[in-house]
Amino acid sequence: MSSIVFAQFSDSHLFGDKSSSHFGQNVYQNLLEVLVHIRDEQNIQFAIFTGDLTQDHSDQSYRNFVEAMTESGIQVPIYWLAGNHDSLEKMNTLLDHPLIHHDKTVNVDDLQLLLLNSKSDSPAGLVKPEELQKLANVSTPTLIFMHHHPLPVNYFIDRHGLENRQEFWQIVNQQENVIGVACGHIHRGLTIAASGENKAPLYGCPATSIQFDPAYDGVRPLPQGPGYRQFCYRNNTLTTQIISLAYDGVRVS
């Protein structure tokens, strides 16, 4: 069996103005750098964006995401999820590009990727019953993607985590074919191993915008550049690594 290699990127927090900065970082340029890096990795077959596209909620910020794809020259399909900052309606209508796919189930060989909507009416997450139903009978090896994190990570973002995480894990833990859960939202590339609460590991994704400082009770960036996560599935085994790009040293205190 050949390898299935794909990328996850997340939390671009774009503005309508491409020159705008978020905590001292030009988030459009950061996203562009990540897309170029994915483009240059010849083995990556597709990528999944796990939400928080916009920071200022403008229509132009969504168009800028599309323009970054065109400017980067990326050639692989992109699938997406909405984050708590995003409008599902705007993503469905404004993410108009030949490589942007709106499917929420992706099947490649014997691997299935399920993209679950965790957007709610608040910054916290909620996986609604119709989304949970997708997990009821997972018959092939499956990796779940969602925006919100379904396990605590022990810093401020836990106040905006998945509200029904116990219900989520109760269903996931009954499915032997779930091989992992990948999320955005936490702005860090961390991994939480499988345990009694979660029988599948959780993979957090670094942001293309800023990386959160877990020692601060609120949003404060670390002096780190943008990043993304790579996955490789081969011979029924999933491996993953964090790709961190250079930090340009610009920061607002």
Side-chain angles (χ1 to χ4, degrees):
M1 174 183 173
S2 60
S3 298
I4 304 169
V5 182
F6 52 99
Q8 177 195 5
F9 64 112
S10 197
D11 296 271
S12 56
H13 291 270
L14 299 178
F15 297 87
D17 182 350
K18 292 180 183 178
S19 66
S20 294
S21 294
H22 186 49
F23 289 89
Q25 289 292 297
N26 184 309
V27 289
Y28 180 82
Q29 289 300 319
N30 280 3
L31 173 62
L32 188 60
E33 289 179 18
V34 167
L35 292 174
V36 167
H37 199 279
I38 292 172
R39 179 202 69 191
D40 290 344
E41 291 288 299
Q42 299 295 321
N43 56 345
I44 291 179
Q45 298 162 254
F46 58 91
I48 296 175
F49 176 73
T50 46
D52 276 3
L53 181 155
T54 185
Q55 178 63 26
D56 66 1
H57 313 290
S58 66
D59 287 4
Q60 187 58 44
S61 64
Y62 296 90
R63 296 188 185 101
N64 287 346
F65 185 91
V66 175
E67 290 179 18
M69 289 186 58
T70 300
E71 187 176 348
S72 71
I74 195 167
Q75 295 293 319
V76 298
I78 305 290
Y79 302 87
W80 61 267
L81 284 169
N84 50 288
H85 280 258
D86 301 324
S87 161
L88 272 168
E89 180 181 2
K90 289 184 178 182
M91 294 185 93
N92 277 314
T93 57
L94 297 176
L95 296 187
D96 184 14
H97 187 282
L99 290 174
I100 294 179
H101 296 257
H102 300 272
D103 311 75
K104 304 308 177 202
T105 301
V106 183
N107 292 289
V108 185
D109 295 335
D110 67 338
L111 177 66
Q112 177 176 246
L113 309 177
L114 284 182
L115 282 62
L116 297 185
N117 178 23
S118 62
K119 181 175 171 59
S120 72
D121 294 330
S122 75
L126 182 70
V127 181
K128 295 179 180 179
E130 58 267 29
E131 292 292 290
L132 290 172
Q133 184 61 35
K134 297 176 183 179
L135 301 172
N137 294 292
V138 175
S139 59
T140 60
T142 298
L143 179 61
I144 298 168
F145 284 87
M146 58 202 305
H147 177 69
H148 292 83
H149 59 301
L151 288 172
V153 292
N154 301 317
Y155 53 101
F156 85 95
I157 198 66
D158 285 342
R159 296 196 286 269
H160 311 299
L162 188 68
E163 291 183 338
N164 60 333
R165 83 177 204 222
Q166 291 182 333
E167 182 182 14
F168 171 79
W169 285 112
Q170 184 178 18
I171 294 174
V172 170
N173 289 345
Q174 295 172 354
Q175 306 301 319
E176 294 182 357
N177 286 310
V178 174
I179 60 175
V181 179
C183 71
H185 196 49
I186 63 175
H187 289 239
R188 290 184 69 205
L190 59 77
T191 297
I192 299 177
S195 68
E197 179 179 3
N198 57 298
K199 293 184 180 178
L202 177 68
Y203 302 110
C205 187
T208 69
S209 55
I210 60 170
Q211 315 312 323
F212 287 158
D213 182 349
Y216 183 72
D217 188 22
V219 177
R220 184 173 70 182
L222 291 168
Q224 297 174 354
Y228 68 99
R229 185 183 279 275
Q230 280 190 26
F231 292 94
C232 178
Y233 183 73
R234 180 178 173 83
N235 295 331
N236 299 313
T237 300
L238 183 71
T239 57
T240 182
Q241 62 177 326
I242 297 297
I243 308 298
S244 298
L245 307 188
Y247 177 62
D248 65 11
V250 177
R251 185 175 178 181
V252 175
S253 60

